[in-house]
Amino acid sequence: MTTSPDVRPASRPLTEPVGTVVPSQVPTHWYNLAADLPEPAPPALHPGTREPLGPDDLAPLFPMALIAQEVSTERYVEIPQTVRELYALWRPSPLIRALRLERALGTPAKIYYKYEGVSPAGSHKPNTAVAQAYYNAIEGTTKLTTETGAGQWGASLSFACSLLGLECEVWQVRASYDAKPYRRMQMETYGGVCHPSPSDLTEAGRAMLAADPETTGSLGMAISEAVEVAAQDPNAHYALGSVLNHVLLHQSVIGQEALAQLDEVGASADVVFGCAGGGSNLAGLSFPFIGRNLRDGTTTRVVACEPAACPSLTQGEYRYDFGDVAGLTPLLKMHTLGKDFVPPPIHAGGLRYHGMAPMVSHALELGLLEAIAVDQETAFAAGIEFARAEGIIPAPESTHAVAGAIAHARAATTEETIVIGLSGNGVLDLPAYHDFL
Ligand SMILES: *Cc1c(COP(=O)(O)O)cnc(C)c1O
């Protein structure tokens, strides 16, 4: 696909009042959708007893503050001052009007994108990484373990741990460990230690290697390894980069800011597109909009865009399932392709997860959001179209949201307002673009 440079005179001047909107401050509170849901999401269950989990069940893995947030139904949770100061390293993130993309598409719609690629790690993930590292640090944890797919979460947690003086040990899905060495280098630069998963360092990993020595790994396998190590070390905790309620809560800074930014320019979102792997950036951007729909009767639509190769929301079953392969995690009620599902090694590594956040799954069941599946070719074509119009190269994950928005904008016949969650930049994923081209 080639597009010639657009040299037509702008029908609307490119300096139209709304270029980049940056509100004056970082939000003071996170927003919790649980407070506004018409019915509560089904609880997480203990893997052995199948009874709802209690705080003691999670204590070996998480600090008490996060366990409390996991089950909180408070609408607004105050962001600790230290976390706000860390957020201020890159937040508020810009909301940008995509005027050149609008013109390239010839759409009457107004397209905005909320850009999370300005964080030091290059994605939305530090929004929860710094919060999780903070709560662990103040409760005396000295080390965090985690899994990572494409490496953005491992890099984000390594970054957060370096800021808060914690050690960080990461198990990275083998396929990405081999294909994306720059993320590992990023983790190591921040002081993190990164192993390919499955590894021979854990019982779970050794069992998976015995079953299939050639396995390319999966997030579910890597979670088993990281959980096992944290559970056995009294000074270590585990950190999850998506799916859980407290992660979605922290990510709500994205949507809180976007609402304020749109208000500032007198706009309101008709439809929001976000990419969905475990569901955290989608929820972070969209839950504040959904909450306002529920409280005030606004009608913003939310569309989750997932990869056709790993379609948990559009093809998965809604049932209790484990978050990992070994079955060490709590049972979560979610849209799932089954814990043993090994997705093909698509470029959007951050979207290769068999399940979906229980809160996002529940919202889909309640009709509060919609879901579509986007194939990889369409996603990259959209990413390139976006890059050539706006300059920013979207992360392969984010291109799914861009593709959903572009298809919608092309079909638009009115001046509706579209908001894209641009969850990260693709600068470290250029080989994936190269393969596509
Ligand atoms: C990890 C990641 C995703 C997917 O995770 P969610 O929890 O679904 O947000 C999406 N985009 C980027 C840039 C990522 O790093």
Side-chain angles (χ1 to χ4, degrees), residues 207-226:
M208 290 163 201
L209 285 174
D212 177 6
E214 302 301 314
T215 179
T216 53
S218 70
L219 272 176
M221 292 184 202
I223 293 173
S224 296
E225 296 202 86

Side-chain angles (χ1 to χ4, degrees), residues 123-125 152 242 275-281 350-351 395 397-398 423-424:
S123 75
H124 65 290
K125 289 193 170 79
Q152 289 104 326
S242 185
C275 66
S280 73
N281 88 86
L351 305 183
E397 292 83 3
S398 315
S423 52

Side-chain angles (χ1 to χ4, degrees), residues 76-149:
Y76 294 107
V77 176
E78 191 169 1
I79 304 174
Q81 184 58 24
T82 303
V83 175
R84 289 188 77 214
E85 283 166 14
L86 295 176
Y87 278 171
L89 289 172
W90 71 95
R91 307 209 69 84
S93 72
L95 180 80
I96 300 167
R97 174 83 182 272
L99 283 168
R100 291 186 52 87
L101 180 65
E102 291 170 19
R103 276 205 293 149
L105 297 173
T107 179
K110 296 178 175 176
I111 304 175
Y112 293 85
Y113 56 99
K114 177 70 169 159
Y115 185 42
E116 291 298 308
V118 292
S119 81
S123 75
H124 65 290
K125 289 193 170 79
N127 296 333
T128 185
V130 295
Q132 293 191 45
Y134 168 79
Y135 288 116
N136 273 290
I138 60 170
E139 290 189 26
T141 311
T142 59
K143 172 168 136 182
L144 288 177
T145 71
T146 197
E147 75 294 331
T148 194

Side-chain angles (χ1 to χ4, degrees), residues 17-390:
V18 193
T20 301
V21 194
V22 180
S24 43
Q25 62 160 5
V26 175
T28 54
H29 292 74
W30 289 302
Y31 167 71
N32 182 5
L33 180 64
D36 290 314
L37 285 173
E39 51 186 274
L45 303 182
H46 188 282
T49 63
R50 297 205 160 228
E51 292 297 316
L53 276 190
D56 293 347
D57 298 318
L58 292 172
L61 294 182
F62 300 108
M64 278 303 161
L66 294 179
I67 294 171
Q69 289 177 1
E70 194 56 27
V71 295
S72 168
T73 53
E74 221 181 315
R75 179 171 292 124
Y76 294 107
V77 176
E78 191 169 1
I79 304 174
Q81 184 58 24
T82 303
V83 175
R84 289 188 77 214
E85 283 166 14
L86 295 176
Y87 278 171
L89 289 172
W90 71 95
R91 307 209 69 84
S93 72
L95 180 80
I96 300 167
R97 174 83 182 272
L99 283 168
R100 291 186 52 87
L101 180 65
E102 291 170 19
R103 276 205 293 149
L105 297 173
T107 179
K110 296 178 175 176
I111 304 175
Y112 293 85
Y113 56 99
K114 177 70 169 159
Y115 185 42
E116 291 298 308
V118 292
S119 81
S123 75
H124 65 290
K125 289 193 170 79
N127 296 333
T128 185
V130 295
Q132 293 191 45
Y134 168 79
Y135 288 116
N136 273 290
I138 60 170
E139 290 189 26
T141 311
T142 59
K143 172 168 136 182
L144 288 177
T145 71
T146 197
E147 75 294 331
T148 194
Q152 289 104 326
W153 173 240
S156 300
L157 194 68
S158 297
F159 156 66
C161 284
S162 72
L163 294 178
L164 287 144
L166 301 174
E167 286 174 61
C168 186
E169 192 169 8
V170 182
W171 275 262
Q172 181 170 23
V173 175
R174 175 102 237 175
S176 300
Y177 184 90
D178 293 334
K180 303 193 168 189
Y182 290 113
R183 291 288 176 200
R184 182 168 80 242
M185 297 173 197
Q186 197 181 11
M187 289 180 231
E188 287 165 354
T189 301
Y190 288 128
V193 175
C194 178
H195 315 288
S197 170
S199 73
D200 59 9
L201 299 167
T202 65
E203 243 174 75
R206 287 188 291 272
M208 290 163 201
L209 285 174
D212 177 6
E214 302 301 314
T215 179
T216 53
S218 70
L219 272 176
M221 292 184 202
I223 293 173
S224 296
E225 296 202 86
V227 167
E228 183 184 315
V229 170
Q232 288 169 0
D233 180 345
N235 296 316
H237 272 156
Y238 166 72
L240 190 60
S242 185
V243 177
L244 296 181
N245 298 340
H246 66 265
V247 178
L248 276 47
L249 177 77
H250 303 153
Q251 293 296 353
S252 68
V253 289
I254 305 172
Q256 295 276 88
E257 287 176 7
L259 274 177
Q261 286 163 315
L262 288 167
D263 279 353
E264 214 156 302
V265 294
S268 75
D270 292 298
V271 53
V272 173
F273 290 88
C275 66
S280 73
N281 88 86
L282 170 82
L285 173 62
S286 68
F287 281 7
F289 288 89
I290 293 176
R292 199 184 50 169
N293 285 349
L294 290 166
R295 290 191 309 277
D296 302 344
T298 50
T299 55
T300 302
R301 280 175 61 198
V302 173
V303 183
C305 306
E306 62 179 8
C310 192
S312 53
L313 278 174
T314 54
Q315 304 280 322
E317 287 179 69
Y318 184 48
R319 63 174 167 85
Y320 274 102
D321 195 8
F322 291 102
D324 70 325
V325 171
L328 300 176
T329 68
L331 284 161
L332 303 174
K333 181 95 184 260
M334 59 183 176
H335 286 87
T336 176
L337 297 162
K339 71 177 175 56
D340 297 313
F341 179 79
V342 178
I346 55 169
H347 288 301
L351 305 183
R352 292 176 81 233
Y353 185 59
H354 67 274
M356 183 55 63
M359 286 276 269
V360 170
S361 296
H362 183 60
L364 181 73
E365 285 302 297
L366 294 178
L368 303 177
L369 56 81
E370 306 155 42
I372 59 171
V374 178
D375 66 75
Q376 181 160 267
E377 295 272 306
T378 307
F380 271 114
I384 286 167
E385 199 160 16
F386 187 92
R388 289 181 186 174
E390 296 296 320

